Amino acid sequence: MPLERTYANNRILVTGGAGFIGSHLCEKLLAEGAEVICVDNYFTGSRRNIAHLLSNPLFEAMRHDVTFPLYVEVDAIFNLACPASPIHYQRDPVQTTKTSVHGAINMLGLAKRLGARIFQASTSEVYGDPLVHPQPEEYWGNVNPIGIRSCYDEGKRCAETLFFDYWRQHQLPIKVARIFNTYGPRMQPGDGRVVSSFIVQALKGDPITVFGDGRQTRSFCYVDDLVEAIAKLMLTDETVTGPINVGNSSEFTIRELAEKIIKFTDSRSQLVFKPSPEDDPKQRRPELAKAKALLDWEPKVALDEGLKETIAYFRRTLELI
């Protein structure tokens, strides 16, 4: 049976493989002996993220949009394709919803044809602006279905529905992870996410833009920890479907994050406060009991350590721009 506790000698499809998280996942799978097909339409992904992998004979990069069917032969599928930052997913909200929904339908159809295991990268955004804190997987969320973030939030919620209906109706082996705020090298400088935005502003000496009063909270997971978790989830037995929260349970205010970044960059940037965007969550922190119990996993990289690695990456990146 493929994927029995190992990726070695298996062919794995990663959609969104040239993206921030996807490129790190491709690296990990190759390091564990898998053959990797990376699919991306480069709407937010970048060939620069996978350039160092192109010479590997076990790696193949394919330009493709998952809203169209794909016909390949693989043992397992990681479905990560979808713009994940508000700036990007609000640029073309109809396409964002189509990527989540049509993309899920096409990848589930491929998995069904092949009898392959399939992973869905869902998101903490399915909880919306939560009324329960921290957020357990059993919480149904508090989501605006017609707001400016709905293309992403509801698209991901619908994708989860499709995955669980394929599991119930077709006994398809599925894995669903709800990914909380993740950061690290290969984030895009202009993606509008709080970590990348603050770092770029601090390195340039520009004012750091804090939306709201800065007291809203987030938990930040370093990308290496995140990839370790989803790789472990895919190798669990078929009784483990998820959804499983994956993230870091250490909680910080946005103001605390900004002050750490100013300190680590030795920046003279000052904080500038602006009104909160529509439907911006006031707090976000995962309940990780399931991840610890089912995956024997918990994050290892502290925020200070991860920020220093990420800042070093952005220093190099900004020198090239």
Side-chain angles (χ1 to χ4, degrees), residues 12-16 37-40 60 62-74 77-79 102-103 105-111 113-114:
I12 313 295
L13 171 64
V14 180
T15 72
I37 301 176
C38 164
V39 165
D40 208 296
E60 178 183 354
M62 180 185 302
R63 183 186 289 269
H64 181 81
D65 188 323
V66 296
T67 62
F68 297 93
L70 178 66
Y71 302 98
V72 292
E73 303 299 318
V74 294
I77 301 166
F78 284 91
N79 186 37
H102 292 188
I105 290 169
N106 287 329
M107 290 305 107
L108 286 163
L110 176 62
R113 179 178 72 82
L114 298 173

Side-chain angles (χ1 to χ4, degrees), residues 182-225:
T182 304
Y183 71 100
R186 300 188 200 141
M187 297 182 82
Q188 290 190 20
D191 66 6
R193 300 189 209 194
V194 66
V195 173
S196 52
S197 295
F198 285 3
I199 291 175
V200 170
Q201 289 171 334
L203 289 173
K204 291 183 174 181
D206 295 338
I208 291 182
T209 306
V210 177
F211 293 101
D213 60 11
R215 289 185 292 179
Q216 66 271 42
T217 65
R218 296 291 185 272
S219 55
F220 301 99
C221 185
Y222 190 64
V223 66
D224 289 356
D225 283 336

Side-chain angles (χ1 to χ4, degrees), residues 13-286:
L13 171 64
V14 180
T15 72
F20 161 47
I21 294 174
S23 61
H24 286 277
L25 178 61
C26 288
E27 269 184 344
K28 180 171 181 58
L29 295 172
L30 289 167
E32 297 197 9
E35 181 179 342
V36 176
I37 301 176
C38 164
V39 165
D40 208 296
N41 68 351
Y42 302 109
F43 180 69
T44 58
S46 170
R47 287 183 63 84
R48 186 180 294 112
N49 289 340
I50 56 171
H52 62 296
L53 303 177
L54 295 174
S55 61
N56 189 324
L58 297 180
F59 182 77
E60 178 183 354
M62 180 185 302
R63 183 186 289 269
H64 181 81
D65 188 323
V66 296
T67 62
F68 297 93
L70 178 66
Y71 302 98
V72 292
E73 303 299 318
V74 294
D75 299 303
I77 301 166
F78 284 91
N79 186 37
L80 277 67
C82 189
S85 74
I87 283 180
H88 290 146
Y89 66 63
Q90 291 170 11
R91 186 189 307 167
D92 189 345
V94 172
Q95 185 63 25
T96 296
T97 303
K98 288 172 67 176
T99 300
S100 285
V101 178
H102 292 188
I105 290 169
N106 287 329
M107 290 305 107
L108 286 163
L110 176 62
K112 179 173 176 283
R113 179 178 72 82
L114 298 173
R117 190 173 298 193
I118 182 168
F119 167 90
Q120 168 66 10
S122 191
T123 172
S124 61
E125 298 294 340
V126 301
Y127 298 121
D129 187 5
L131 304 177
V132 173
H133 191 74
Q135 293 81 59
E137 290 86 351
E138 293 76 18
Y139 178 50
W140 290 356
N142 176 43
V143 180
N144 177 2
I146 58 171
I148 61 172
R149 300 169 67 103
S150 305
C151 57
Y152 185 69
D153 302 0
E154 296 290 12
K156 288 290 191 177
R157 286 162 69 95
C158 185
E160 285 196 17
T161 300
L162 286 162
F163 266 69
F164 279 88
D165 282 337
Y166 265 78
W167 172 63
R168 285 184 286 258
Q169 187 171 339
H170 302 295
Q171 295 75 55
L172 189 68
I174 65 166
K175 309 289 177 181
V176 176
R178 291 175 176 163
I179 298 172
F180 282 67
N181 292 61
T182 304
Y183 71 100
R186 300 188 200 141
M187 297 182 82
Q188 290 190 20
D191 66 6
R193 300 189 209 194
V194 66
V195 173
S196 52
S197 295
F198 285 3
I199 291 175
V200 170
Q201 289 171 334
L203 289 173
K204 291 183 174 181
D206 295 338
I208 291 182
T209 306
V210 177
F211 293 101
D213 60 11
R215 289 185 292 179
Q216 66 271 42
T217 65
R218 296 291 185 272
S219 55
F220 301 99
C221 185
Y222 190 64
V223 66
D224 289 356
D225 283 336
L226 184 283
V227 167
E228 178 71 19
I230 63 178
K232 281 191 166 190
L233 174 56
M234 184 65 111
L235 294 178
T236 55
D237 68 54
E238 293 189 4
T239 64
V240 180
T241 60
I244 294 180
N245 289 338
V246 180
N248 194 309
S249 57
S250 297
E251 190 173 7
F252 299 88
T253 68
I254 295 301
R255 182 162 191 152
E256 285 177 306
L257 174 70
E259 290 169 348
K260 283 179 178 291
I261 288 171
I262 288 172
K263 175 183 174 183
F264 295 150
T265 56
D266 195 25
S267 175
R268 296 182 178 179
S269 295
Q270 300 295 312
L271 303 186
V272 174
F273 295 87
K274 294 189 176 181
S276 294
E278 181 183 335
D279 297 330
D280 188 47
K282 299 175 189 67
Q283 52 188 8
R284 187 64 63 71
R285 176 162 67 93

Side-chain angles (χ1 to χ4, degrees), residues 282-299:
K282 299 175 189 67
Q283 52 188 8
R284 187 64 63 71
R285 176 162 67 93
E287 168 56 61
L288 295 177
K290 283 190 176 180
K292 291 175 183 177
L294 297 173
L295 308 180
D296 188 26
W297 172 89
E298 57 185 327

